[in-house]
């Protein structure tokens, strides 16, 4: 294990904040059996349907992934009914809806731009969906065809969580950041976690049930681009704020390698957060088998509370 990308990243204590995948809305389709590196077009899902879904989602803010229950993945029997979820993660309008379908092609009936904007009506109308009333979802990346760390570390974590009675645990095809395996996305709020352990995931899920965000091990909220992810987490830690849906990234100015991000609280407070893009040194692989590189990291240089005069200006 000493040569895996996740072991090297852990040994170098590479920061995880600001590394989450970006998606305002997640659309998840149950697809048992093996997954290839590009699972939408390299699984037992019809590849033509996978390509059509990829094309339909482009530019909508919707990210589509495949999910399966933890455990063995014999591909001899496909379930007649598949579970489908859609979650919108933008604070102020966070929701998670679920449905079942016997025909995955029905997903082509969805209005993906509307789902990306946070409107759930087309999901409910096309698939007979409704608001999910169960526990939060814990999506554990286990796709070893993308990176072996996801299989070596993710699959045991998913199995441990499921066997211990945690509800809402699924394996998922891709969350990015293989070197932070095991990686987990928690819905509906859309916060991702790296180097996850079972006890920590249980604490995160407990928090999500209570409307709280755990920042320990957090990679960021998927609703924001990576500078915003780092900035929002920095404000949470600065002011010890753990309530969900109370902070939003309202402005990001600048470009790599430096940004000024404005984070707003629902109570009217605002902060200006300076974020710098650095290079992770010494060089390390971004994924197993890749050449050595210096992955970009988001470093928070400063957090400054804005006065009413500054906000007016």
């Amino acid at each position: 294990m000493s040569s895996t990308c996740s072991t090297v990243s852990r040994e170098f204590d590479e920061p995880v904040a600001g590394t989450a995948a970006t998606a305002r809305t997640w659309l998840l389709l149950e697809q048992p059996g093996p997954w290839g590196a590009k699972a939408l077009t390299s699984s037992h899902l019809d590849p033509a349907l996978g390509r059509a879904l990829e094309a339909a989602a482009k530019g909508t803010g919707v990210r589509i992934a495949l999910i399966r229950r933890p455990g063995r993945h014999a591909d001899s029997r496909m379930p007649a009914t598949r579970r489908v979820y859609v979650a919108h993660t933008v604070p102020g309008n966070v929701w998670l809806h679920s449905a079942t379908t016997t025909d995955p092609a029905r997903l082509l009936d969805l209005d993906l731009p509307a789902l990306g904007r946070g409107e759930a009506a087309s999901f409910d109308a096309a698939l007979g969906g409704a608001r999910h009333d169960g526990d939060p979802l814990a999506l554990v990346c286990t796709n070893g065809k993308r990176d072996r760390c996801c299989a070596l570390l993710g699959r045991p974590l998913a199995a441990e969580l499921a066997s211990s009675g945690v509800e809402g645990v699924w394996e998922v095809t891709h969350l990015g950041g293989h070197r932070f395996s095991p990686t987990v996305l928690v819905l509906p709020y859309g916060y991702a976690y790296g180097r996850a352990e079972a006890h920590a995931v249980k604490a995160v899920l407990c928090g999500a049930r209570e409307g709280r965000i755990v920042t320990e091990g957090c990679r960021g909220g998927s609703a924001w681009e990576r500078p915003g992810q780092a900035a929002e987490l920095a404000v949470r830690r600065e002011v010890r704020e753990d309530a969900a849906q109370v902070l939003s990234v309202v402005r990001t100015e600048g470009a790599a390698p430096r940004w000024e991000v404005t984070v707003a609280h629902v109570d009217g407070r605002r902060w200006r957060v300076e974020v710098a893009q650095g290079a992770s040194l010494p060089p390390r692989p971004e994924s197993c088998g890749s050449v050595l590189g210096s992955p970009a990291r988001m470093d928070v240089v400063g957090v400054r509370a804005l006065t009413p005069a500054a906000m007016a200006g």
Side-chain angles (χ1 to χ4, degrees):
M1 287 290 289
S2 61
S3 62
T4 64
C5 64
S6 61
T7 302
V8 174
S9 176
R10 189 186 294 265
E11 288 174 349
F12 289 151
D13 197 24
E14 183 179 354
V16 303
T19 67
T22 300
R24 294 192 303 273
T25 301
W26 291 84
L27 178 60
L28 309 168
L29 170 65
E30 183 179 2
Q31 177 58 61
W35 297 331
K38 295 185 177 179
L40 271 181
T41 53
S42 54
S43 69
H44 287 322
L45 185 69
D46 178 358
L49 173 58
R51 286 191 293 272
L53 288 170
E54 283 182 337
K58 198 164 291 183
T60 65
V62 177
R63 186 175 177 120
I64 304 175
L66 303 181
I67 58 175
R68 64 191 178 194
R69 290 294 189 185
R72 297 177 61 85
H73 303 299
D75 55 357
S76 58
R77 184 178 64 85
M78 288 295 104
T81 302
R82 317 278 187 94
R83 175 67 60 179
V84 189
Y85 294 100
V86 65
H88 190 62
T89 65
V90 177
N93 186 31
V94 167
W95 47 258
L96 172 62
H97 285 223
S98 66
T100 58
T101 185
T102 56
D103 180 10
R106 295 289 303 277
L107 271 65
L108 292 175
D109 297 333
L110 299 176
D111 185 341
L112 295 185
L115 291 177
R117 294 192 299 269
E119 303 163 13
S122 74
F123 181 84
D124 293 349
L127 299 177
R131 187 174 291 273
H132 175 70
D133 59 3
D135 285 340
L137 304 186
L139 308 172
V140 184
C141 187
T142 63
N143 192 350
K145 286 297 196 300
R146 290 198 71 98
D147 192 283
R148 60 176 172 151
C149 285
C150 296
L152 289 171
L153 302 174
R155 290 194 66 187
L157 173 63
E160 181 180 355
L161 289 168
S163 65
S164 67
V166 176
E167 299 290 335
V169 180
W170 293 86
E171 297 185 6
V172 68
T173 45
H174 185 47
L175 297 178
H178 318 295
R179 64 192 185 278
F180 304 120
S181 294
T183 61
V184 180
L185 176 73
V186 175
L187 295 176
Y189 297 115
Y191 286 80
Y193 294 82
R195 304 186 187 121
E197 298 179 1
H199 67 89
V201 176
K202 291 176 182 178
V204 169
L205 291 171
C206 178
R209 282 192 295 271
E210 297 171 354
R212 295 183 294 105
I213 304 302
V214 174
T215 59
E216 184 71 25
C218 190
R219 299 176 61 195
S222 74
W224 319 122
E225 298 294 331
R226 291 184 176 183
Q229 294 172 11
E232 192 248 14
L233 286 175
V235 171
R236 284 191 175 278
R237 290 167 179 149
E238 178 84 7
V239 301
R240 299 181 180 179
E241 177 62 83
D242 67 356
Q245 298 202 71
V246 298
L247 291 177
S248 294
V249 174
V250 295
R251 184 178 299 113
T252 301
E253 300 170 293
R258 214 164 187 89
W259 299 266
E260 283 197 343
V261 181
T262 304
V263 177
H265 196 290
V266 292
D267 66 9
R269 287 178 292 165
R270 291 196 173 204
W271 297 264
R272 185 72 47 78
V273 184
E274 192 172 348
V275 180
Q277 179 176 299
S280 298
L281 296 171
R284 78 285 310 271
E286 289 199 47
S287 60
C288 289
S290 69
V291 298
L292 295 181
S294 300
R297 52 185 281 173
M298 294 293 142
D299 295 320
V300 172
V301 179
V303 178
R304 178 167 57 91
L306 296 178
T307 63
M311 288 190 282

